[in-house]
Amino acid sequence: MSYEQLIVDRDGAVATVRLNNAARLNALSPTMTAELLDALTALGGDGEIRGIILTGEGRGFSAGADLSALQEPYLKGERPRLSFFLKDGYNKLIPLLAETPKPVVAAVNGVVAGAGNSLALACDFRIASDQASFTTAFVKIGLIPDAGSCYLLPRTVGMARALELALLSDRIDAATALSLGLVNKVVPADDLMQEAHALAARLAELPTTAIALTKRTFNEAARLSLAETMDREAEVQDEAAATDDHIEGVIAFLEKRPPAFTGR
Ligand code: T3D
């Protein structure tokens, strides 16, 4: 996989996707968004890959939408229809990331702003460098949170904190993000990629289909009642029980040995 604004590396069952426009703190250009769509679609369907890391080059994770292309039209007095851009870009990317059938670890290496938060929040785990910082940023340019932030942020930190982060847009450090539940863990910057890789490798050794089905059912449950969710659990459990990994897990337990899951 060769891209202009992404670097994709593979190490065994773990793929690392790096946003690669460090000079702009990995702001999300249309090119980067399209390349992420392509890479995540390919990795999601790649039977060899069982864990994904998303991170950024340089001192930024992602500064959100790349605003640089807006200067010229805005100075000319043009008024944009951002919905076209959103529907064609983030509205495809963020659900794809959140629903990808592989576990995804965000290794938050630095600055996060705007839609960069949505990218991190759509991942299954967030490990932050102690150098990371977070700002919602949208209100500072007169916009509402988009790229799924209106959905993901309140679900992650609760409504009161989400409103505080969205409306005041203070820049918070990694320790504060941890205390709010915005990230799972904070580690020294030098240890970030090692920690993220260890977690992704651990996830890659687990039953991949059960992980995919768990993610899918959690997402579905957000729209269902308790009784409906339990019906879905029963149906989806048939899919999980049909995997080799289910049989291996039960037999390994009964034989008192560690399981050897294959992802099938
Ligand atoms: O508008 C639409 O297209 C709709 C979609 C909206 C979704 C969104 O994400 S809206 C929010 C967009 N993001 C922002 O508003 C954040 C803008 N950036 C910042 O506020 C600050 O850069 C940060 C707080 C993120 C980091 O500050 P700092 O002091 O650490 O770095 P810096 O010096 O401001 O930035 C470094 C460089 O990155 C700088 O370029 P330069 O001067 O060295 O040539 C800066 O212009 C560039 N940069 C940072 N963010 C963006 C960016 N370039 C383009 N787009 C950016 N979002």
Side-chain angles (χ1 to χ4, degrees):
M1 288 177 181
S2 175
Y3 296 109
E4 202 181 306
Q5 295 189 356
L6 281 189
I7 301 170
V8 180
D9 293 321
R10 301 164 71 105
D11 180 3
V14 175
T16 301
V17 178
R18 280 174 196 278
L19 310 182
N20 186 28
N21 188 0
R24 289 189 181 152
L25 303 178
N26 301 313
L28 281 158
S29 65
T31 300
M32 189 184 282
T33 302
E35 291 182 350
L36 274 169
L37 273 165
D38 186 78
L40 292 169
T41 301
L43 295 171
D46 186 330
E48 302 296 311
I49 295 299
R50 296 169 65 192
I52 299 172
I53 298 170
L54 180 65
T55 191
E57 280 289 293
R59 71 177 182 88
F61 176 73
S62 173
D66 188 336
L67 302 177
S68 54
L70 300 179
Q71 187 170 17
E72 196 182 317
Y74 284 16
L75 286 176
K76 283 187 200 155
E78 289 179 23
R79 289 285 177 269
R81 284 288 300 274
L82 294 180
S83 57
F84 292 122
F85 164 80
L86 294 175
K87 286 178 182 170
D88 198 43
Y90 304 151
N91 293 15
K92 294 178 182 166
L93 173 61
I94 297 298
L96 176 74
L97 180 55
E99 292 163 18
T100 197
K102 310 294 167 62
V104 187
V105 177
V108 183
N109 52 300
V111 176
V112 188
N117 289 285
S118 309
L119 269 187
L121 289 169
C123 297
D124 304 309
F125 293 84
R126 285 161 291 286
I127 303 182
S129 150
D130 56 7
Q131 303 300 307
S133 67
F134 300 78
T135 172
T136 54
F138 297 96
V139 75
K140 293 192 172 168
I141 56 168
L143 291 180
I144 70 156
D146 62 20
S149 276
C150 287
Y151 182 96
L152 297 166
L153 194 58
R155 278 171 174 75
T156 307
V157 300
M159 185 63 81
R161 294 294 194 191
L163 274 173
E164 185 179 334
L165 292 171
L167 301 187
L168 300 179
S169 193
D170 288 332
R171 192 166 171 178
I172 61 170
D173 61 15
T176 307
L178 181 64
S179 74
L180 294 177
L182 201 56
V183 300
N184 299 81
K185 189 174 184 182
V186 177
V187 299
D190 287 346
D191 299 344
L192 177 67
M193 291 316 294
Q194 195 185 329
E195 289 266 356
H197 201 279
L199 176 57
R202 179 178 162 194
L203 289 160
E205 288 185 352
L206 293 173
T208 309
T209 302
I211 288 177
L213 295 174
T214 302
K215 288 177 61 169
R216 195 175 85 194
T217 312
F218 271 32
N219 282 325
E220 288 176 4
R223 301 183 290 271
L224 301 176
S225 67
L226 174 61
E228 289 166 335
T229 299
M230 294 179 76
D231 282 345
R232 280 300 290 146
E233 287 172 353
E235 289 159 11
V236 175
Q237 203 65 294
D238 279 344
E239 290 182 60
T243 61
D244 292 351
D245 282 344
H246 168 60
I247 306 299
E248 167 64 8
V250 173
I251 298 297
F253 172 76
L254 296 173
E255 292 178 353
K256 301 190 186 305
R257 62 170 172 81
F261 295 122
T262 60
R264 289 187 289 278

